[in-house]
Amino acid sequence: MCTGDNVLTARSIAVQCGIYTAGGIIMEGPAFRQLNDQDMLEIVPRLQVLARSSPEDKKLLVEKLRELGAIVGVTGDGTNDGPAL
């Protein structure tokens, strides 16, 4: 789940929806975008919630998932979702 919501709201929603599970990682966009490429590729497979994410964070996440061979679907309800799409 990648959202602009704050981390507490994002975590609560993710838990209620079954997205966040034991062993998963929750991060905020500013911390995510500071990771180097290797760290990002190691974290992304366990990253279940990315909160306070910017349009660039969403785009970066999609790129890293695709680098790892994932098929990625993106939905959004705002113009800030455009770069990830």
Side-chain angles (χ1 to χ4, degrees):
M1 182 172 104
C2 187
T3 179
D5 288 333
N6 74 61
V7 72
L8 295 176
T9 301
R11 177 182 163 60
S12 176
I13 292 167
V15 168
Q16 291 174 46
C17 295
I19 294 169
Y20 179 63
T21 59
I25 295 173
I26 296 177
M27 290 186 80
E28 290 187 317
F32 178 72
R33 77 180 77 108
Q34 294 301 315
L35 296 171
N36 65 44
D37 194 56
Q38 184 59 40
D39 288 342
M40 205 172 279
L41 289 172
E42 289 176 16
I43 286 175
V44 164
R46 292 185 33 232
L47 182 63
Q48 294 177 343
V49 179
L50 185 60
R52 285 289 180 216
S53 57
S54 70
E56 185 59 31
D57 298 331
K58 294 175 185 182
K59 179 178 176 282
L60 190 56
L61 178 59
V62 168
E63 290 170 350
K64 295 305 170 194
L65 285 165
R66 293 190 68 203
E67 277 182 48
L68 292 168
I71 297 171
V72 182
V74 177
T75 63
D77 62 356
T79 57
N80 66 341
D81 296 306
L85 294 168

